[in-house]
Amino acid sequence: MAQRLGTLSELRAALDDGRTSASDVVAQALGRARELAPAFAATRGLRADRAAEEALQADQRRTARALRSVLDGIPLLLKDNLNHRGEPTTCASRILDGYVSPYDATAVERVKAAGGVVIGRTNMDEFAMGSSTENACDQPTRNPWDPTRVPGGSSGGSAAAVAAGIVPVALGSDTGGSVRQPASFCGVVGIKPTYGRVSRYGLVAFASSLDQVGVFSRTAADAAALLQVISGHDPLDSTSLDEPVPDYAAALDGDVAGLTIGLPREYFVEQGVDPDVLERVRDAVKELERAGAKTCEVSLPHTPYAVATYYLIAMAEASSNLARYDGVRYGHRATGAHDLQSMYSRTRSEGFGAEVKRRILLGTYVLSAGYYDAYYRKAQQARTLLRGDFEAAYRSCDLILTPTAPEVAFALGERSADPLQMYLSDIFTVSANLAGIPGISVPCGFARDLPVGLQLLGPALGESLLLRVADAYQRRTDWHTKTPPEAS
Amino acid sequence: MSALQEVMERYEVVIGLEVHSQLRTDSKLFCGCAVRYGDPPNHHTCPVCLALPGALPVLNERAVSLGVRAALATHCSVQPQSIFARKNYFYPDLPKGYQISQFEEPLSTGGWLEIPMPDEAAADAVRRIGITRIHMEEDAGKSIHDDSVAGGDGSQVDLNRAGVPLLEIVSEPDLRSPEEAGAYLRTLRQILRYIEVSDADMEKGHFRCDANVSLRLHGALDLGTRTELKNLNSFRFVEAAIAAEIERQAEVLDGGGAIQQATLLWDRTSGQTRVMRLKENSDDYRYFPEPDLIPVNIDPQAVHDIRAELPELPDQKRERFVREHGLSEYDAGLLTGSRSLADFFEASTAAYGKAKPIANWLLRDVLHALNEREAEIDEVALVPETLVALLRMVDAGRVTPKSARELIPELVARGGDVEALVRERGVEAVSDAGILETAVAEVLADNADAVARFRSGEDKMLNFLMGQVMRRTSGKASPAAVRDILAAKLGG
Amino acid sequence: MARITREEVERIADLARLTLSAEEAQALTHDLDTMLEYVQALDGLDTQNVEPTAHPLPVATALRPDRARPSLAPEEAVGNAPEREGSAFTVPKVIEGVES
Ligand SMILES: [Mg+2]
Ligand SMILES: [Zn+2]
């Protein structure tokens, strides 16, 4: 069995010392991905030959002392909803059967320009619609800490791959918690940046006003390194923020003294939250207090409306974003249809899975004549109120701390029959997407041997602050050094 | 009285037009693909206009400023903030499954333009037609239905045109006849071309029109049920299609029936309209604000700058021509019919020094030659310097006005050196005193009666005698020289 | 009381170009009904005079200079097509209708 890969910082040091080569590291990552595929199904496709070639080029750059960045020669995985030129992009959907992308997503282009070696794609819920990675068109991903349980979702493949030590870092996307919740379930770090911080160009849209590319890693320092590479303005994305990117690594000084951390009373409730999860998160609060941070209670009064608001907006946007999958230009096309209408309907019915259809239908319904104001417009107004909650809270604190999810990883199949119950696992993560603010999940212990995640939410463009606090916490704890027994 | 006139005596016709006009940009509305026609299918496409998964739109700056220009030229107010919306429907030439358009918050609202009144004798009688709104949107691609596709069972889809920027210009239901609809379209087209917002070439599909038509009894306040005529793509068809639809509706109403809300197509072969679909099962477009685009904020300074750069509009130019050059309203109207003709007139006048002769030559001879060729002045070889050179030769008596007129079609078609052409054609005026004296002597001898009448006070006989001399010299005689010799011989 | 009927679900499915089997239609009617019941929680929220949020953060209008840039090579543009003739996509016959 190929060995677990180290963290990005460890690999960087080993590469710089000449203890290993990019070719060896990439070969090790590919080997481990292949060996663990049957057990966890974290990856959807590997590009062994091209990755090996790119690793060789990285080694040549190292010899020539022409390294491009700290990422140069480091293997990583992409969630299968990021376009990578010459590679398939499936979104774990049959409807994208056979599609090979002719272009790079901006985040992917930046990773490549920095010398990162993409070894393949990770599994996900179809079109990022789900919280368990069970809605993939072929097989679900399993949690490396317990293969009978889900890794969370929708970026479950990326979270599992990092947890299983296949790669040190991976990219995912977060529309309502799809990076943070699986990071929490798999015991890794996951950061969703401010909306607009990372270009969405080339990220297959689920819900345009909520989607954001995010990063998985084992340490906050590694997350900072990869986020540094992919952040920044992109003229190809109109919603991209034209603001300078701070030096994230430089912000990691281990110091939290003097910071005020807000604890929203609506998130620290007994009802509907696993008591062990709450306890681990409260332990983490104490740890940060010992490190010199102050805490205070804050209120986000519109929290009870967040999930409904989120689903209305996300499904409405999704119903329109998914209209392009019509079998005309790429992907699956139903055979034997003699007229256009039936070609469309049959193609889409065959191509989309049950959850995607459910969301397209709800989204179509709430936008249709006569319902727009009652549903979509109302949700956009609720969104304004939710944003206002955060603005008010940040007047009395620097950042907000909550559990990432109300629970630990649940069993495969447990929620499949009850979509609404599944949606409620996003209860603590959706507000950040609605408000556009950054959030990070950091491992903060275990409940019944399953990882628990702590979520930090910052004000817009507060990534440095989140990474700094997460890093300070990791310097004082060793949760992130634990390895899953099933993938050791 | 025609059937249409008869219907219009009984019913008031209410017409509103929606025009789609292609903006003059180099690249598409939301991506960098070139706006170009005539190439093989899908040669100007990219991830954005192919609607590949993950691609995003970014708005073309020039499209916005051209839109503002059109709004200002039609007296619309430019909205400080306008918002793009998605119009959702499925069609193979609509790759995203939605068209990015504007809905609740368009670029501009509330303007008007003035159209000449076809029925009025006075050339300056105009009617003001309201413009409800002007907004930006992207064009669809093209579905080609061809029996050769997939064994006659399929259509081809070409997305070269998908994403090309359009303005949609919606009029108030202020038009009252097919002729007014035609006049509105011609005026609008003229304005858009003047301000270089659109080539507005109907034949090339750069200028397309949908018409909403309804009838009501004269004096009625409520509008009748309207039908929508789709994709009228020539001026001729617009008027014919509206006329046919008016007659169809009148027939339904006269028979006691009710008009059904419907979308109709004009069948140019049968000359009739035909129902494409009824509105009751019409599409539900599910408009909502386009989340991939930011609202378009246009500050007053930008509007001010664009207004300052706005070229002179046809109406303004016409008034100035009357004022500065002493032309009649009618002549000035003709000369400002297109910006290129107006520019030609002004350039020629500047070179020649006098406006009226230029106006006369242009309106009489040059326009005639252009109409024969169905061309605009900037599409032919004639340039102002050539026209002025010809007029100078006429003034100098080196070519007769008659010969000069005959040269115009040639100069329009091929241009070139006037002197050389006159020599080549052998039409240089004869001013050789010997030849002319002989001719005059012969004419006087042959027309003793006319000479006598002239001498008894009939001055107009001089013109007759002039004409006889010209005829005898095949029109080449210099009129000034002939007049001098005649005057001398007749003892005048 | 049901918030959505099966007929409505079928009408919506038609708008969204999805064909549903009888079982699917029935199950989805139930699911949508449950979801609509859940989102009805928003009815209790007073949103009078609240501006809707379409974008979470204020961003200046992004504009692109009007410069033509290279398009995809035609082989790449249509390389993914399920069916094509030359560089054109082909689809079953478009029966009727135009849109603009
Ligand atoms: Mg339109
Ligand atoms: Zn394009």
Side-chain angles (χ1 to χ4, degrees), chain B residues 20 137 168, chain C residues 100:
Chain B
H20 287 92
E137 63 181 31
E168 180 173 324
Chain C
S100 63

Side-chain angles (χ1 to χ4, degrees), chain B residues 402 439 443 464-477 482:
Chain B
K402 179 167 176 292
V443 165
F464 169 79
L465 292 167
M466 283 275 297
Q468 294 302 309
V469 178
M470 295 309 284
R471 181 184 281 183
R472 202 166 289 251
T473 56
S474 317
K476 288 188 208 165
V482 173

Side-chain angles (χ1 to χ4, degrees), chain B residues 18 20 87 99 101 135 137 168, chain C residues 100:
Chain B
E18 284 175 24
H20 287 92
K87 179 182 183 180
Q99 178 195 33
S101 180
H135 73 244
E137 63 181 31
E168 180 173 324
Chain C
S100 63

